[in-house]
Amino acid sequence: MSAFKLDIIASDRHFFSGDCNAIVLPAIDGEHGVLPGHEDMVTAIKSGEFRMQVDGEWKNVAVSDGFADIKPDSVVVIVDTAEWPEEIDINRAERARQRAEDKLRQRQSLREYYHTQAALSRAMARLKVTKK
Amino acid sequence: MANMREIRTRMKSIQDTMKITNAMYLISSSKLKQARKKLDNTMPYFNALTSTIADIMSLLPYDASYKYIEDGSNLIPEEKKRRLYIVMTADKGLAGAYNHNVLKMTEENLKKGENNVIFMIGQMGRNYFNRKNIVIDCEFLYIAQNPTLLRSRAVAESALDLFDSNEIDEVYIVFNKMINSMSCECETLKILPLERSAFEKKQGEYVHQATFSPSPKAVLQNLVPNYVKGIIYCALVEAFSSEQNSRMTAMESATNNAKDMLRDLSLIYNRARQAAITQEITEIVSGANSLSANSN
């Protein structure tokens, strides 16, 4: 099975480094699948579920905003945070989701609105990854 | 000959000060350990961020101009440029030349043009500029103590707001950078607009272009704010680490100086004590001699 080198770098740690068969990343315009030999591409990532196939096995990762630099033989993903499902505190994510939803119902400034929306999508991404 | 009591009070006060400096040394060294760990964890992010952005800059098609990227079309003379400085100082002093270096460099930078905007992080810089009657346009409190992504996002957003509304032309950060584990150096880093030349690859290297999905504009719109936030976060972590480092060295040398002073003073003290004893003995002996001379 052909593979490419994948690096996932979060702001607080080098999250993952190793060979990978395929990834599906949450880009700003929808999900993007990347296989070995992909054309050179740069894309922005929004918070969501990041899937990668290592040794034939699919793994899920919750990522937040960042970007990806894709080359035929390597992919570098740079994100604010990246977490394995088992690292996520479901209760905390659930609380964050409720808090964000409550806030969205109230009147707020445009910047606050974007913040809340970002918080909501981060919480949703975490919850989605842990549901599997 | 100095008075013995005077020397003793002097020694006492030095000892008290030494206790404080020594305690501060211990505190900052334990804080430094945490800060260093955070810095080590952030370093790969910083390196990857800069190298990937460099890569992306070289891949960007040349046929259009982008808001965040310097393409030479901006022909404002140097002294007319509106510059934003994000200045990172500490909340507290007693850290050697740490704050002084940042403030000195900022003042030099401010001389380059008349249209300056200052974002201040940390109490020390704020007090300094207030004393000098230099207007600080935006202050961020509590950030210097505990750098987090969330807080650096607030700084980045305020800076980008100004940039987007075309109120400033350039964004710089002034901060202390760790050179190695023992020394740090002040640095001014330009973060916006991105320059192609700063990221230019070496000659002869394979040049290729990449697709930007969905479009270069959309990608940059998301990528640049992310980059700015990341760089600010890294700078904050770096600044915090070097703050603890310089405080530790400053307090260590203060403690050593106090020890030296105590050693010298205790020598003088002992000399004074001996002199006093000798004098007393001489007095007693001469008294006894005169007594025995009288009785004979």
Side-chain angles (χ1 to χ4, degrees):
Chain A
M1 206 170 199
S2 60
F4 57 90
K5 189 159 163 37
L6 173 68
D7 276 289
I8 304 178
I9 297 157
S11 64
D12 53 351
R13 58 183 161 159
H14 199 143
F15 180 78
F16 179 85
S17 178
D19 287 337
C20 183
N21 307 119
I23 55 174
V24 177
L25 45 88
I28 40 176
D29 56 341
E31 288 196 321
H32 258 291
V34 178
L35 292 168
H38 196 281
E39 67 166 340
D40 285 343
M41 192 173 91
V42 177
T43 187
I45 292 175
K46 63 174 190 183
S47 51
E49 181 193 31
F50 181 97
R51 294 199 297 279
M52 57 190 197
Q53 194 183 28
V54 181
D55 294 331
E57 193 189 336
W58 282 98
K59 288 181 181 168
N60 293 320
V61 181
V63 296
S64 52
D65 296 357
F67 53 94
D69 188 9
I70 299 164
K71 298 242 158 59
D73 54 352
S74 70
V75 174
V76 179
V77 176
I78 296 180
V79 285
D80 292 348
T81 59
E83 290 156 309
W84 296 112
E86 55 268 26
E87 290 169 345
I88 294 168
D89 184 343
I90 299 178
N91 291 329
R92 199 179 142 207
E94 183 65 40
R95 274 202 305 278
R97 185 181 67 88
Q98 273 170 7
R99 205 165 46 232
E101 279 176 351
D102 288 347
K103 261 196 194 163
L104 278 180
R105 282 192 211 104
Q106 285 157 16
R107 179 190 285 269
Q108 48 188 351
S109 75
L110 199 62
R111 194 195 265 198
E112 275 174 336
Y113 174 74
Y114 286 137
H115 280 187
T116 325
Q117 243 186 1
L120 181 62
S121 69
R122 280 198 298 274
M124 296 289 267
R126 289 200 173 105
L127 288 172
K128 192 176 172 195
V129 167
T130 47
K131 288 264 165 61
K132 295 278 160 70
Chain B
M1 183 64 61
N3 188 338
M4 273 166 66
R5 182 179 293 163
E6 262 172 29
I7 299 174
R8 217 155 39 201
T9 25
R10 182 100 196 279
M11 283 172 77
K12 180 79 174 37
S13 85
I14 292 174
Q15 262 159 358
D16 288 348
T17 315
M18 195 175 86
K19 265 182 206 152
I20 298 172
T21 54
N22 196 32
M24 283 182 76
Y25 166 73
L26 292 174
I27 292 170
S28 55
S29 69
S30 82
K31 271 194 185 166
L32 175 66
K33 220 173 267 171
Q34 294 167 13
R36 182 77 61 69
K37 201 172 155 218
K38 205 168 177 183
L39 180 65
D40 284 344
N41 288 337
T42 316
M43 235 27 221
Y45 178 69
F46 178 75
N47 292 336
L49 197 64
T50 41
S51 65
T52 313
I53 286 283
D55 203 43
I56 290 171
M57 283 303 119
S58 68
L59 296 176
L60 206 61
Y62 272 89
D63 50 1
S65 73
Y66 306 96
K67 189 169 56 179
Y68 294 119
I69 291 167
E70 183 94 81
D71 51 3
S73 67
N74 195 348
L75 293 172
I76 305 170
E78 278 297 313
E79 65 275 10
K80 282 274 160 60
K81 271 186 185 160
R82 296 159 301 175
R83 297 182 175 90
L84 165 67
Y85 292 101
I86 302 174
V87 183
M88 296 177 183
T89 59
D91 276 348
K92 297 203 172 72
L94 287 179
Y98 175 82
N99 289 309
H100 181 72
N101 284 346
V102 175
L103 295 172
K104 208 168 71 181
M105 184 169 263
T106 311
E107 285 207 312
E108 268 168 32
N109 286 333
L110 291 182
K111 281 182 201 145
K112 277 185 206 156
E114 285 148 20
N115 305 316
N116 296 308
V117 181
I118 304 174
F119 279 14
M120 184 56 75
I121 293 165
Q123 286 282 346
M124 294 306 286
R126 183 178 157 218
N127 295 344
Y128 180 83
F129 281 120
N130 276 345
R131 254 199 325 274
K132 290 217 149 190
N133 286 328
I134 297 173
V135 180
I136 294 169
D137 301 84
C138 198
E139 288 166 7
F140 297 93
L141 301 175
Y142 319 115
I143 295 186
Q145 292 289 324
N146 182 15
T148 60
L149 260 185
L150 200 74
R151 285 168 170 171
S152 36
R153 187 176 297 152
V155 181
E157 270 172 6
S158 313
L160 283 167
D161 269 358
L162 286 180
F163 195 87
D164 286 344
S165 55
N166 201 19
E167 281 174 42
I168 47 170
D169 300 314
E170 290 176 346
V171 182
Y172 295 86
I173 35 181
V174 187
F175 69 113
N176 266 303
K177 199 174 176 167
M178 301 274 283
I179 300 297
N180 52 40
S181 58
M182 281 323 288
S183 63
C184 48
E185 200 173 72
C186 199
E187 192 180 282
T188 306
L189 190 74
K190 185 178 182 184
I191 46 176
L192 276 181
L194 300 167
E195 277 175 51
R196 278 182 204 259
S197 62
F199 294 115
E200 208 83 71
K201 281 196 167 178
K202 284 182 218 95
Q203 285 257 314
E205 217 167 305
Y206 167 60
V207 181
H208 54 282
Q209 293 219 321
T211 327
F212 283 69
S213 157
S215 72
K217 211 164 200 165
V219 171
L220 285 181
Q221 201 69 42
N222 283 275
L223 193 148
V224 173
N226 203 284
Y227 168 73
V228 172
K229 179 185 68 187
I231 290 289
I232 288 177
Y233 175 68
C234 295
L236 279 170
V237 172
E238 189 114 29
F240 182 64
S241 188
S242 43
E243 178 199 338
Q244 298 305 334
N245 194 21
S246 33
R247 179 163 298 131
M248 193 181 84
T249 6
M251 287 302 119
E252 194 181 12
S253 67
T255 313
N256 287 340
N257 286 345
K259 276 184 188 151
D260 287 350
M261 280 170 90
L262 278 178
R263 214 179 39 237
D264 292 349
L265 279 177
S266 68
L267 202 69
I268 296 172
Y269 174 74
N270 282 336
R271 252 184 227 149
R273 195 171 59 94
Q274 265 178 357
I277 292 169
T278 321
Q279 199 186 340
E280 262 174 46
I281 290 175
T282 338
E283 274 163 14
I284 291 169
V285 169
S286 65
N289 279 349
S290 68
L291 268 184
S292 60
N294 281 346
S295 65
N296 282 343

